[in-house]
Amino acid sequence: MIMQGSRMNPVKKSKYRYRTQMIITEKDHFSATNSHTPITTVLDEFYKMGPGPSSSHTMGPMRITYDFYQRISRLPAEQLARATALKVHLFGSLSATGKGHGTDRAALAGLLGKSPADCPSEFLDGITLHPDQNYQLNIGPARFELSLKDIIFDSVTGNFHHSNTMTARLLAGDEILYELEYYSVGGGFIEWKGYNPPEKGKPRYRICHARDLKKFLIDDKIPLAKLLLEQEMSVSGKSEKEIMEFLDQVTEVMIRGVDNGLKTETMLPGPIHLCSKAATINRNLHKTKKANPGRAITQIASYAFAMAEENARGHIVVTAPTAGSAGIIPAVVKALRDIKISQQKIREGFLAAAAIGYLCKHNATLSGAEGGCQAEIGVGSSMAAAMIAQAVGEGPRVVSNAAESALEHHLGLTCDPVAGYVQVPCIERCAFGAVKAWTAYCIASEEIPEEHKVDLDTTIQAMALTAKEMNSKYKETSEGGLAASLVLC
Ligand code: SF4
């Protein structure tokens, strides 16, 4: 109501004109300063598997402790024979908010050698249900008894290299046998003291924007999926077989997550006391005899709920592009499987979706803290629209138009997670993101592609500009929007 009133306010109108001028100025600035370095993001940096609900506070820490587990597994037997304990210290933001996120259970699971990609949900839940349980870990001659007590919430303030710092130690009594300082740098990415980014190959195609991609498709007369695969191989150095195996693993993790979510009915963790609803919606959909014109929409929404609720439970998800938006692409993958789209076509869909995500990451942002929810749910929906169009065999123009439409109709979406939990509005937003993706594909596949007015680069640029202009209250602070207006009882 306040917003409607202010739109009619003449004072605000003049402010609006001023803001329009600002936008033009920033647009010029944006065009002049935007990086023209080619995109070199690769699939396994983008689709990361690990426990939700937070890529920085659960996925990153589990990847860190699993990395430490792998490192100490390679130590000489004589060194391991002396070891008596393993300890992980959480600092900064990980210590301040890690309890609520479940950072300690994710870190313990990784330390116990559970792979972030396929740690069973039951194992993670077991740690929460039995917080005092000891777990036996054998590495070579070393024998450890580990529990949540070995994950220590250490100093919140201090002169840390990064706000999400962790230290992992292998000890013999008080003596440190091996130690490494790690950083969970966001998006599930991890680094450590002395980290050097992996060397990448030279991209076969120099792509900064969607228009570059379009030019190569026309000039080289090459199908989109083939171009994207060649690009991935050139940058990552991986073979086609390795890339396809990775995409198959991503598919399986997503499908498993949706299936788990459809079977599970629980109150989700945290202060909101939110009841999950994927299982209810799916069950009611299948038991009703009456005609339901929205059947397909309800089905895909239930899939998105299922995966997003799994994220809220701290179970294994795939960032696509983030943990908060992790329900969208799995819903689409499951729906594509329902209509018997082959795994090869789904792999091609993943390549197209990643290309859209890369363009958004390169020219705007994927972070709710930087750009609001348009950067997470909006990009996820755009990626999903491209995936559907590619997987069902549409040409690149339709793929691009579908992606553009889905992103366009999320522009300006704010990030306002209630109580700081990735639940309200995030879970339902995944459902709407998936449905909008399918709508965008439907429109793009039936319109005359050449008459689609807005191109993808323009919309990505609009997202970047909107992100810059967005009030910081709406960037993952939980100080605005629903987070401010919803009163929790
Ligand atoms: S509201 Fe914020 S935390 Fe939730 S999905 Fe959107 S960007 Fe992520």
Side-chain angles (χ1 to χ4, degrees):
M1 287 299 288
I2 292 166
M3 286 183 68
Q4 277 176 0
S6 63
R7 248 190 254 130
M8 289 156 65
N9 181 328
V11 178
K12 294 283 179 189
K13 263 191 173 175
S14 69
K15 188 176 177 195
Y16 177 73
R17 280 200 294 276
Y18 166 71
R19 284 172 62 80
T20 307
Q21 284 174 352
M22 286 288 287
I23 289 166
I24 292 166
T25 309
E26 288 204 4
K27 184 171 179 174
D28 292 345
H29 174 74
F30 181 82
S31 306
T33 58
N34 187 29
S35 161
H36 289 284
T37 53
I39 294 170
T40 55
T41 310
V42 291
L43 290 170
D44 60 5
E45 291 173 332
F46 200 74
Y47 296 124
K48 289 183 297 305
M49 293 164 266
S54 165
S55 53
S56 60
H57 283 58
T58 46
M59 192 175 287
M62 185 168 178
R63 288 165 69 91
I64 282 171
T65 49
Y66 185 62
D67 179 83
F68 191 71
Y69 164 84
Q70 290 178 309
R71 284 172 192 262
I72 58 174
S73 299
R74 295 192 290 268
L75 290 176
E78 325 66 271
Q79 198 172 358
L80 283 169
R82 296 184 53 221
T84 55
L86 283 165
K87 299 279 178 201
V88 173
H89 293 251
L90 307 173
F91 298 98
S93 172
L94 293 177
S95 178
T97 62
K99 257 281 183 260
H101 280 103
T103 305
D104 48 349
R105 97 170 176 173
L108 178 60
L111 198 60
L112 288 165
K114 300 290 180 195
S115 157
D118 49 26
C119 180
S121 326
E122 303 75 38
F123 185 81
L124 290 164
D125 290 344
I127 298 177
T128 307
L129 282 172
H130 309 288
D132 298 324
Q133 186 168 328
N134 288 328
Y135 297 84
Q136 184 72 37
L137 176 69
N138 302 337
I139 303 179
R143 302 284 177 267
F144 304 101
E145 287 264 316
L146 298 179
S147 74
L148 281 175
K149 292 195 186 82
D150 296 302
I151 313 297
I152 297 144
F153 289 90
D154 212 312
S155 312
V156 172
T157 53
N159 189 21
F160 309 122
H161 175 75
H162 188 277
S163 58
N164 297 327
T165 292
M166 293 170 63
T167 304
R169 287 183 185 143
L170 176 71
L171 299 160
D174 289 340
E175 184 189 351
I176 298 171
L177 296 176
Y178 183 76
E179 176 184 43
L180 196 53
E181 183 173 294
Y182 286 94
Y183 318 107
S184 175
V185 296
F189 286 97
I190 65 168
E191 294 179 6
W192 49 87
K193 206 169 194 165
Y195 173 84
N196 286 313
E199 296 239 331
K200 289 185 177 174
K202 186 169 181 279
R204 173 156 185 180
Y205 300 96
R206 197 178 189 287
I207 297 167
C208 308
H209 302 97
R211 59 180 175 271
D212 306 322
L213 184 53
K214 184 177 169 193
K215 184 174 180 305
F216 285 122
L217 290 169
I218 294 168
D219 290 355
D220 289 24
K221 296 188 178 57
I222 180 172
L224 177 63
K226 190 164 188 296
L227 182 152
L228 296 174
L229 179 61
E230 286 179 357
Q231 182 80 337
E232 176 72 20
M233 289 163 68
S234 67
V235 180
S236 70
K238 290 187 176 163
S239 67
E240 178 175 346
K241 182 169 176 287
E242 287 171 318
I243 291 166
M244 294 307 156
E245 281 173 359
F246 174 75
L247 291 176
D248 290 349
Q249 186 188 18
V250 168
T251 308
E252 288 318 308
V253 172
M254 286 185 172
I255 294 291
R256 199 185 313 139
V258 173
D259 289 344
N260 282 344
L262 289 176
K263 287 189 298 221
T264 315
E265 288 183 275
T266 56
M267 178 102 61
L268 299 176
I272 307 176
H273 304 301
L274 186 68
C275 295
S276 64
K277 54 174 125 169
T280 314
I281 295 171
N282 199 52
R283 189 175 50 246
N284 288 343
L285 178 68
H286 289 287
K287 91 175 168 204
T288 182
K289 294 268 186 298
K290 62 180 189 274
N292 178 354
R295 197 171 190 84
I297 294 173
T298 316
Q299 185 70 82
I300 195 169
S302 76
Y303 294 159
F305 268 105
M307 189 78 233
E309 287 169 356
E310 281 292 277
N311 181 58
R313 291 184 189 103
H315 292 167
I316 303 301
V317 298
V318 184
T319 56
T322 60
S325 55
I328 302 172
I329 296 226
V332 162
V333 171
K334 177 90 172 160
L336 288 170
R337 278 203 171 177
D338 287 351
I339 57 169
K340 309 281 182 259
I341 298 295
S342 71
Q343 181 57 20
Q344 179 52 28
K345 287 289 173 195
I346 288 175
R347 291 170 184 155
E348 291 175 10
F350 270 117
L351 289 168
I356 303 301
Y358 297 169
L359 288 166
C360 293
K361 176 176 183 278
H362 196 71
N363 295 295
T365 175
L366 302 179
S367 159
E370 262 178 17
C373 200
Q374 55 174 357
E376 296 200 13
I377 297 288
V379 174
S381 183
S382 181
M383 289 167 58
M387 167 178 249
I388 300 163
Q390 177 67 39
V392 302
E394 297 287 355
R397 183 71 198 244
V398 173
V399 172
S400 171
N401 289 347
E404 185 285 317
S405 254
L407 184 61
E408 181 181 328
H409 300 291
H410 284 91
L411 287 179
L413 192 64
T414 59
C415 171
D416 50 356
V418 172
Y421 277 70
V422 188
Q423 296 179 7
V424 179
C426 320
I427 295 171
E428 280 192 9
R429 281 206 183 150
C430 281
F432 279 85
V435 171
K436 274 196 198 177
W438 213 285
T439 308
Y441 153 69
C442 290
I443 295 169
S445 62
E446 300 297 347
E447 69 182 347
I448 297 167
E450 293 71 27
E451 290 182 0
H452 191 92
K453 191 74 182 167
V454 187
D455 67 88
L456 183 57
D457 285 332
T458 300
T459 303
I460 294 173
Q461 189 180 41
M463 180 174 74
L465 290 167
T466 308
K468 277 186 184 177
E469 295 245 315
M470 191 180 281
N471 188 306
S472 60
K473 271 200 303 195
Y474 302 116
K475 296 181 179 178
E476 217 173 318
T477 61
S478 294
E479 288 175 0
L482 263 183
S485 60
L486 183 71
V487 179
L488 294 177
C489 303

